[in-house]
Amino acid sequence: MKIPFFKFECSQAEIDQVTSVLESGWLTTAKKASELEAAFKQRCHTDHALAVNSCTAGLHLALEAIGVNAGDKVVVPSLTFTASAEVIRYLGADPVFVDVDESTQLITRAAIEAAVAEYGDIKAVVAVHFGGQSVELVGANGVWDYCKEQGIKLVLDAAHAFPAFDSYGPVGSVGDVTCFSFYANKTMTTGEGGMVVTNDEAIAARIKTMRLHGINRDIWDRFTKANASWEYDVVAPGFKYNMPDVNAAIGLAQLERVDLFREQRQACAEYYLAQLSDIDCIQLPQARVPMAHHSWHLFPIVVKPTAPINRDQLISALNESGVGTSVHYKPLHRMTYYKEKYQLDPASFPVTERYWQGCLSLPIYPGMTTEQLAYVVQVIRANLKP
Ligand SMILES: Cc1ncc(COP(=O)(O)O)c(C=O)c1O
């Protein structure tokens, strides 16, 4: 049996949506992108949604719009994809890497407090909703409540977390700015793409301008409004981060089924949790939110040192049996650039270290059959509990 790590769900709706854009003759940002933005505002309970061409672009725009400048310090977990931290460097600011919670792999208020105590002035935090569940944002241990109290800006990297929820409502509704990813293997995709949501009018206005060269009007306005003139102004050296309509069209079709996709991934997670729970030498993912509030983008397991084979050997065994896996993540404190530039020592990240040395992510996608899930479980059992 061949089981990929991820499989894109394409229906006739995606094909029809893209065809309609091609037939319209207008391929770049226009009506489809606006429709996708309107849907996200509604789903995330936010005043503003801005479509961009990647989550990385969204994170860059978010940090720029909240005023991160050269020399500023921005807290970010080491256990994340490089995009969460590289955008801090784009602006000449410096990441302050922190460890994560042992059971959820999420950044905590305590870790941010410790960074503030050690480094003093922290301009912002990039918090990652790792795997698809929300960071604890509100309440006594809430990262958002703490950041507001301290005057620290909070950007949420929600690349894994659409749709996801917490006691405060949908992911995206809380924080200064939240950025979603529609990369090819995400919970919904536009091929490449992302969405930025915020309730802050000034931040939204700045992002809107900066995502298109620092021009004070968007392309659609410029070419299509009845009374539009050729004239535009450039108010800043912006970027080229707008989402083309071809991509937005795929997103609109995906959005129709995104809740169904989430339910199907949850069913995969429930199957794995039930069928792997008696294997003592692996650690299964722990949800701090109800199952239905988790987007289940990832299903990461950790092979403990007590296992008969290690993580790399299990990945090879699964691979030889036709099962695709991935590792989320080799932490940033182990990546040459960050390690050398910031003189990072693995001993400063004990939880992340323990986690990453044993972690691998199992296939989880809508349309994965019980037969396929059973096969993955069978290969794991054969290797870890012969
Ligand atoms: C945690 C995290 N942040 C950011 C990104 C970047 O997303 P994009 O590829 O849409 O730029 C990813 C992509 O995998 C991610 O996993």
Side-chain angles (χ1 to χ4, degrees):
M1 209 183 278
K2 273 257 173 250
I3 302 175
F5 174 65
F6 175 77
K7 195 158 147 277
F8 166 55
E9 270 296 306
C10 186
S11 72
Q12 191 58 40
E14 278 80 353
I15 295 165
D16 291 345
Q17 276 282 3
V18 172
T19 303
S20 80
V21 174
L22 297 176
E23 285 174 353
S24 78
W26 188 282
L27 305 193
T28 189
T29 309
K31 267 201 295 219
K32 300 285 182 189
S34 306
E35 269 180 56
L36 194 61
E37 290 176 342
F40 262 76
K41 274 201 296 196
Q42 207 174 23
R43 291 202 55 130
C44 296
H45 302 175
T46 53
D47 294 338
H48 308 277
L50 297 135
V52 287
N53 59 12
S54 70
C55 179
T56 309
L59 291 165
H60 183 194
L61 290 165
L63 292 181
E64 199 276 343
I66 62 172
V68 169
N69 283 310
D72 286 340
K73 293 189 181 68
V74 180
V75 170
V76 63
S78 180
L79 189 70
T80 186
F81 184 58
T82 186
S84 320
E86 76 193 32
V87 291
I88 300 168
R89 294 298 301 136
Y90 288 1
L91 294 159
D94 294 304
V96 171
F97 293 102
V98 296
D99 212 350
V100 288
D101 175 64
E102 182 96 53
S103 63
T104 60
Q105 294 77 52
L106 297 169
I107 194 170
T108 60
R109 172 182 171 138
I112 301 165
E113 277 177 338
V116 169
E118 187 174 347
Y119 293 92
D121 219 13
I122 297 290
K123 175 81 185 190
V125 172
V126 176
V128 181
H129 295 311
F130 181 84
Q133 66 176 329
S134 175
V135 166
E136 191 163 357
L137 291 180
V138 298
N141 293 319
V143 166
W144 171 233
D145 286 346
Y146 175 71
C147 285
K148 277 191 297 189
E149 216 175 275
Q150 299 288 317
I152 296 171
K153 296 285 182 194
L154 178 62
V155 171
L156 286 317
D157 179 340
H160 302 175
F162 185 81
F165 311 85
D166 201 352
S167 53
Y168 57 78
V171 161
S173 58
V174 152
D176 287 299
V177 191
T178 299
C179 305
F180 298 99
S181 173
F182 307 140
Y183 177 67
N185 68 5
K186 292 298 189 285
T187 54
M188 67 165 264
T189 184
T190 60
E192 298 279 358
M195 186 67 72
V196 182
V197 298
T198 180
N199 282 315
D200 187 305
E201 176 109 40
I203 290 175
R206 178 70 180 177
I207 290 175
K208 191 168 183 193
T209 299
M210 294 304 280
R211 80 174 160 179
L212 197 69
H213 303 295
I215 290 173
N216 68 347
R217 291 170 30 195
D218 62 32
I219 311 179
W220 183 237
D221 274 2
R222 202 146 57 84
F223 290 104
T224 61
K225 283 258 169 80
N227 58 352
S229 76
W230 58 269
E231 197 183 354
Y232 63 90
D233 193 15
V234 172
V235 295
F239 313 105
K240 184 67 168 72
Y241 284 164
N242 56 301
M243 177 189 281
D245 259 23
V246 179
N247 302 76
I250 302 171
L252 285 170
Q254 292 264 295
L255 195 59
E256 295 281 308
R257 286 172 294 144
V258 80
D259 296 310
L260 182 66
F261 293 165
R262 197 211 62 75
E263 279 168 30
Q264 292 180 350
R265 284 191 307 273
Q266 180 181 328
C268 296
E270 281 166 346
Y271 186 93
Y272 283 139
L273 287 170
Q275 300 297 319
L276 297 172
S277 64
D278 65 322
I279 307 182
D280 296 336
C281 63
I282 55 175
Q283 179 191 312
L284 298 175
Q286 290 175 45
R288 60 159 289 277
V289 297
M291 291 294 281
H293 286 182
H294 198 309
S295 78
W296 292 109
H297 170 52
L298 299 178
F299 193 90
I301 63 169
V302 180
V303 179
K304 296 182 189 167
T306 51
I309 58 172
N310 65 26
R311 183 265 313 274
D312 293 356
Q313 289 165 321
L314 182 60
I315 289 177
S316 300
L318 283 159
N319 192 32
E320 278 158 25
S321 303
V323 177
T325 57
S326 191
V327 170
H328 300 90
Y329 291 95
K330 176 178 169 184
L332 298 181
H333 67 256
R334 281 187 170 264
M335 298 295 185
T336 302
Y337 171 72
Y338 297 111
K339 185 174 68 186
E340 288 178 0
K341 177 149 182 77
Y342 296 103
Q343 307 279 300
L344 301 173
D345 176 2
S348 311
F349 306 90
V351 176
T352 301
E353 275 293 301
R354 269 198 301 280
Y355 175 80
W356 110 268
Q357 279 168 12
C359 73
L360 71 151
S361 301
L362 302 182
I364 183 165
Y365 50 84
M368 202 177 166
T369 63
T370 309
E371 201 190 357
Q372 290 173 317
L373 288 158
Y375 180 70
V376 177
V377 167
Q378 181 200 316
V379 178
I380 293 173
R381 295 191 83 84
N383 282 277
L384 294 185
K385 211 173 180 245

